[in-house]
Amino acid sequence: MKTCTITFLPYKKDIVVNDGENLIRAAMEAGIHINASCGGEGVCGRCRICVEQGTVEDGLSERLSKEDIEKGYRLACKSIIRSDVVIRIPVESSVDASVLNLASPRKKVSIEEMDISTLKESGKFLPPVEKRLLTVSEPSHEDNSSDASRVIQGLREQYNEHRLEFEMPVLQKLPDVLRENDFQSTVTIVRPVRDGHKNHIIHMAAGNHVAQNYAIAIDIGTTTVYAEVLNTETGEILASYGDFNGQISYGEDVISRIVFSEKGDGAKKLQSVVVNTINKIIEKIIHRSKVDIQDISMITIAANTSMTQLFLGINPRYVRRAPYVPATMFYPPCKAVHLGLNVADHAIALMYPCVSSYVGGDIVAGVMGSGMYNTDELTLFIDMGTNAEIVIGNKEWLTCAACSAGPAFEGGGVEHGMRASKGAIEDFSIDPITFEPMILTIGNIRPKGICGSGLLTMLAVLF
Ligand code: FES
């Protein structure tokens, strides 16, 4: 079969594809991002590219002006490759992750600034993983009970721990671990997330590692993924990092992702892409925090219902079809490595439960973290993302609504709308004397479009 070479600029990346390949699919396969709000359906006009050398078949659309077409602009999702071509991806069709990790102008209140014991008592910060330093007596002819019995008995006597169960990998190493440091070891215990279940011993290490008890909290957003490394004893945040969810190349909103997941091996692709994004972020925060990956015992993951299902490899197709039912509201804990995460074998992954198809674990995490479910006064909590949710209530009742905010915040359906990346108008004012309008762009460069904060500010100022 005839093959063609595509050169992507400005990345100077060459790929070889079969004659007749769709350009946006070729870019996806090569790991090159081109905005695709509608998931390649040809309706959003976001996947503009410029053909600098050679020609592509088709690629035309009423979304492109006559001048654009003359300059070589085409829609990537409608372009078919028939010969060698050089394609330039303009800024408005690409992503700029540098803005995601800019320092916030507002002060972030971290847990360590609050009273940790009060937070633990109130249940607002109560990690279900604990490390216990345990010393047991050496076996003798008079006391030849098993190693496992010694550990269970020791934990009962020294820490009043009950209903304990070993995991098999711990038992496989137990005899050596106990004897490595004169029968002193650190036992990692996971509390059950639901009543009636047992406490699991997920890890044991020789010596004292009680102070090294860390967790990773991950928020999988439709557009961005953000994670932090936390010390579960003190609540201290040791490192954080965010990046675009690699799935955005396959559709910018939840619905386009579900549509993509229904095509061929789309669901598998989306799962591996988001796992990849998470692993890259984990690598970054582990490096920044200088924590040993073996000391990460727990990963918590919050995401909207569709993102959760796609991450777990659960078919989300019924989330978008009446009567809109998710596969499940609760997800059992599992080993993080079984989800493809690059962490220690014993680390457990806990997913926040969802409430319905469009009220997911992300807003549940917000309600839990803010403690609003436990107060007398009314609280309004807003989670503004590509999919936005609003909850109002107190300890008596809570009610929630959700809608898509992506069009406002990522430019979907707005002629010059764009994400908050360099060149996006983010602020607007009017000189009170001359009435001269003024704009500020991210990166203080020539404007390329307008992002959500620009749109809202402009509306407010004009009003
Ligand atoms: S028009 Fe090409 S991805 Fe939407």
Side-chain angles (χ1 to χ4, degrees):
M1 181 182 260
K2 183 184 157 197
T3 57
C4 314
T5 301
I6 310 174
T7 304
F8 287 103
L9 300 178
Y11 313 110
K12 294 191 185 144
K13 183 162 181 176
D14 293 341
I15 59 163
V16 177
V17 296
N18 287 334
D19 175 47
E21 178 64 287
N22 176 282
L23 178 56
I24 206 158
R25 283 212 158 250
M28 284 172 186
E29 286 304 319
I32 292 170
H33 173 80
I34 299 175
N35 286 343
S37 297
C38 65
E41 297 288 301
V43 292
C44 70
R46 294 274 159 212
C47 61
R48 285 157 48 97
I49 47 89
C50 187
V51 182
E52 293 206 344
Q53 278 175 38
T55 50
V56 296
E57 192 176 291
D58 202 356
L60 300 173
S61 156
E62 75 264 14
R63 293 262 163 201
L64 297 167
S65 67
K66 207 166 148 253
E67 298 78 57
D68 280 345
I69 293 171
E70 276 163 14
K71 283 183 197 154
Y73 280 92
R74 299 288 183 273
L75 292 188
C77 70
K78 300 190 90 185
S79 299
I80 304 298
I81 304 299
R82 293 288 181 201
S83 59
D84 294 351
V85 277
V86 176
I87 302 290
R88 180 170 293 279
I89 302 170
V91 262
E92 65 270 22
S93 301
S94 51
V95 288
D96 174 14
S98 63
V99 292
L100 295 181
N101 292 291
L102 296 177
S104 164
R106 293 191 184 84
K107 190 171 180 305
K108 196 167 168 182
V109 180
S110 83
I111 289 173
E112 69 262 32
E113 291 167 35
M114 303 181 227
D115 178 7
I116 196 76
S117 49
T118 315
L119 287 172
K120 285 193 172 182
E121 270 162 37
S122 67
K124 279 192 202 166
F125 184 72
L126 202 52
V129 176
E130 267 182 282
K131 285 194 173 184
R132 302 288 200 199
L133 179 62
L134 182 73
T135 305
V136 294
S137 58
E138 238 177 277
S140 62
H141 288 298
E142 291 70 42
D143 174 11
N144 63 353
S145 57
S146 71
D147 290 341
S149 303
R150 275 164 204 287
V151 171
I152 300 283
Q153 191 181 346
L155 288 168
R156 192 183 311 132
E157 288 169 2
Q158 295 168 43
Y159 296 102
N160 200 23
E161 291 278 5
H162 294 274
R163 296 177 61 74
L164 292 159
E165 195 164 72
F166 277 97
E167 292 198 344
M168 185 57 84
V170 185
L171 287 175
Q172 286 163 337
K173 293 185 191 146
L174 181 61
D176 294 333
V177 168
L178 279 185
R179 285 158 185 83
E180 200 179 316
N181 197 47
D182 296 331
F183 289 82
Q184 188 201 54
S185 60
T186 303
V187 187
T188 307
I189 303 170
V190 175
R191 313 284 172 217
V193 289
R194 306 187 82 175
D195 291 344
H197 292 244
K198 289 197 169 173
N199 297 300
H200 277 219
I201 297 176
I202 59 163
H203 189 58
M204 282 184 68
N208 186 350
H209 305 272
V210 170
Q212 289 86 48
N213 194 9
Y214 305 108
I216 295 178
I218 303 173
D219 175 8
I220 307 177
T222 312
T223 304
T224 51
V225 179
Y226 187 81
E228 291 180 340
V229 178
L230 294 123
N231 181 324
T232 58
E233 297 299 317
T234 63
E236 188 187 356
I237 298 165
L238 302 168
S240 58
Y241 192 71
D243 202 349
F244 283 110
N245 183 339
Q247 292 179 344
I248 51 175
S249 299
Y250 304 85
E252 294 192 8
D253 57 73
V254 162
I255 300 300
S256 339
R257 301 272 172 87
I258 299 175
V259 169
F260 184 86
S261 76
E262 292 173 16
K263 297 178 193 158
D265 63 351
K268 254 202 175 115
K269 182 82 200 168
L270 291 180
Q271 186 188 19
S272 79
V273 161
V274 72
V275 166
N276 236 345
T277 301
I278 296 172
N279 279 334
K280 275 197 231 153
I281 296 175
I282 289 178
E283 200 183 320
K284 197 93 177 181
I285 52 179
I286 288 296
H287 178 74
R288 283 186 175 179
S289 64
K290 300 188 175 67
V291 161
D292 184 341
I293 195 94
Q294 293 298 322
D295 291 325
I296 302 284
S297 307
M298 176 180 69
I299 319 263
T300 62
I301 299 152
N304 66 49
T305 309
S306 301
M307 291 303 111
T308 304
Q309 292 199 194
L310 285 171
F311 168 63
L312 296 176
I314 300 172
N315 179 354
R317 79 192 319 246
Y318 300 103
V319 166
R320 84 173 185 105
R321 287 181 169 79
Y324 313 106
V325 289
T328 175
M329 311 281 239
F330 298 95
Y331 311 94
C334 66
K335 294 291 176 194
V337 285
H338 293 162
L339 299 173
L341 302 186
N342 293 339
V343 289
D345 289 348
H346 66 268
I348 56 152
L350 300 169
M351 303 291 309
Y352 274 92
C354 68
V355 175
S356 68
S357 275
Y358 291 95
V359 179
D362 45 0
I363 191 80
V364 172
V367 168
M368 296 295 292
S370 66
M372 63 182 286
Y373 66 95
N374 218 4
T375 58
D376 287 316
E377 66 272 18
L378 272 185
T379 304
L380 177 71
F381 183 89
I382 303 175
D383 178 356
M384 199 61 90
T386 307
N387 205 52
E389 295 95 1
I390 297 179
V391 186
I392 188 168
N394 57 18
K395 67 180 181 190
E396 304 286 333
W397 59 274
L398 292 161
T399 189
C400 182
C403 77
S404 168
F409 293 100
E410 280 119 35
V414 178
E415 189 170 349
H416 294 288
M418 65 183 284
R419 282 206 189 89
S421 52
K422 280 195 189 117
I425 297 171
E426 64 162 349
D427 206 353
F428 173 81
S429 59
I430 293 177
D431 186 306
I433 300 172
T434 64
F435 296 116
E436 182 80 14
M438 287 176 285
I439 53 163
L440 263 187
T441 65
I442 296 176
N444 297 319
I445 58 172
R446 278 177 71 81
K448 298 199 174 90
I450 184 163
C451 65
S453 44
L455 283 168
L456 288 180
T457 313
M458 196 173 278
L459 280 175
V461 170
L462 292 174
F463 182 71

